[in-house]
């Protein structure tokens, strides 16, 4: 029954909002704004989590030229998605494996996994590898070095592109300055 206007910058975290714990999230747009016929048109829904800090991920429209989007929610509280860690979110129909240094996880379709690497000092790099499983064979998608810092966490999202290609986007989130002393 409550509406909150949000600014959703593309490929970044928006400003955080405080709302009562809900059973379900619904996002949409206002049509005929500032008129007597103003109405809320839902674009996506998903179940809420039993978590105090939730991050809603608004995906591309479910079907081309439609106004229905994909909505996914993750627990982003810092005691779950810790700073200095990587959260992998698989929004594809393929199985994906991620390896950070020696720790490897498998992420099924519409699933997520966390890796919190060990490192020395204030910052460093890790060796990151990503594999996509197709026809029972793992195909390497990425092999590179990623930065690692105890005050930064990375959300790595896999999604489907054109022609069934698996694409990846990473969003890095830095610990807010007012929380740095508590880290």
């Amino acid at each position: 029954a409550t509406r909150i206007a949000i600014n959703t910058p593309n490929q970044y975290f928006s400003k955080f909002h405080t709302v009562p714990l809900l059973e379900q999230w619904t996002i949409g747009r206002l049509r005929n704004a500032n008129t007597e016929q103003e109405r809320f048109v839902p674009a996506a829904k998903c179940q809420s989590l039993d978590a105090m800090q939730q991050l809603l991920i608004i995906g591309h429209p479910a079907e081309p030229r439609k106004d229905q989007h994909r909505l996914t929610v993750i627990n982003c509280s810092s005691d779950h998605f810790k700073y200095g860690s990587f959260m992998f979110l698989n929004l594809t129909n393929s199985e994906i494996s991620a390896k950070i240094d020696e720790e490897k996880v498998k992420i099924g379709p519409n699933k997520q996994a966390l890796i919190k690497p060990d490192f020395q000092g204030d910052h460093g790099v890790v060796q990151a590898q990503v594999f996509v499983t197709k026809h029972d064979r793992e195909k390497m998608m990425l092999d590179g070095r990623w930065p690692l810092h105890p005050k930064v966490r990375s959300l790595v999202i896999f999604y489907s592109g054109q022609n069934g290609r698996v694409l990846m986007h990473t969003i890095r989130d830095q610990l807010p300055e007012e929380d740095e002393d508590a880290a």
Side-chain angles (χ1 to χ4, degrees):
T2 303
R3 294 185 292 200
I4 299 172
I6 57 171
N7 177 15
T8 56
N10 192 17
Q11 302 179 2
Y12 292 93
F13 288 167
S14 70
K15 179 181 146 210
F16 291 103
H17 298 275
T18 302
V19 298
L21 199 54
L22 305 169
E23 289 182 28
Q24 175 177 284
W25 290 105
T26 304
I27 62 162
R29 290 187 166 87
L30 285 178
R31 297 289 187 224
N32 303 321
N34 302 321
T35 71
E36 289 183 23
Q37 297 174 342
E38 178 182 87
R39 64 187 170 95
F40 179 78
V41 179
K45 296 179 183 182
C46 72
Q47 287 300 118
S48 180
L49 300 175
D50 187 19
M52 294 305 292
Q53 294 180 356
Q54 300 178 43
L55 178 65
L56 297 174
I57 299 165
I58 303 168
H60 295 288
E63 295 179 35
R65 295 181 295 280
K66 295 271 183 164
D67 207 17
Q68 293 296 310
H69 288 72
R70 179 182 192 143
L71 185 62
T72 305
V73 62
I74 63 170
N75 180 348
C76 72
S77 64
S78 58
D79 60 341
H80 174 72
F81 181 13
K82 298 179 183 322
Y83 288 88
S85 69
F86 297 89
M87 177 178 283
F88 297 93
L89 179 61
N90 181 0
L91 300 178
T92 73
N93 292 326
S94 301
E95 183 173 280
I96 295 174
S97 301
K99 183 176 177 187
I100 302 291
D101 285 338
E102 297 304 315
E103 189 173 349
K104 188 172 182 179
V105 294
K106 288 193 181 285
I107 312 129
N110 299 306
K111 300 291 182 190
Q112 54 190 278
L114 277 166
I115 293 181
K116 181 156 184 10
D118 293 324
F119 59 94
Q120 305 286 324
D122 289 338
H123 62 278
V125 293
V126 291
Q127 186 65 35
Q129 294 179 319
V130 175
F131 304 88
V132 178
T133 302
K134 288 189 179 186
H135 309 294
D136 296 326
R137 291 185 49 197
E138 278 190 338
K139 180 181 177 187
M140 185 175 288
M141 178 181 172
L142 170 109
D143 186 7
R145 299 184 59 75
W146 283 355
L148 180 67
H149 194 282
K151 294 182 181 176
V152 176
R153 59 187 178 176
S154 298
L155 174 61
V156 184
I157 303 170
F158 300 97
Y159 59 99
S160 298
Q162 292 180 347
N163 302 325
R165 290 186 57 204
V166 174
L167 303 173
M168 179 184 85
H169 184 76
T170 303
I171 301 172
R172 294 174 48 88
D173 179 43
Q174 187 168 343
L175 183 69
E177 289 183 26
E178 63 268 11
D179 294 340
E180 285 188 6
D181 294 332

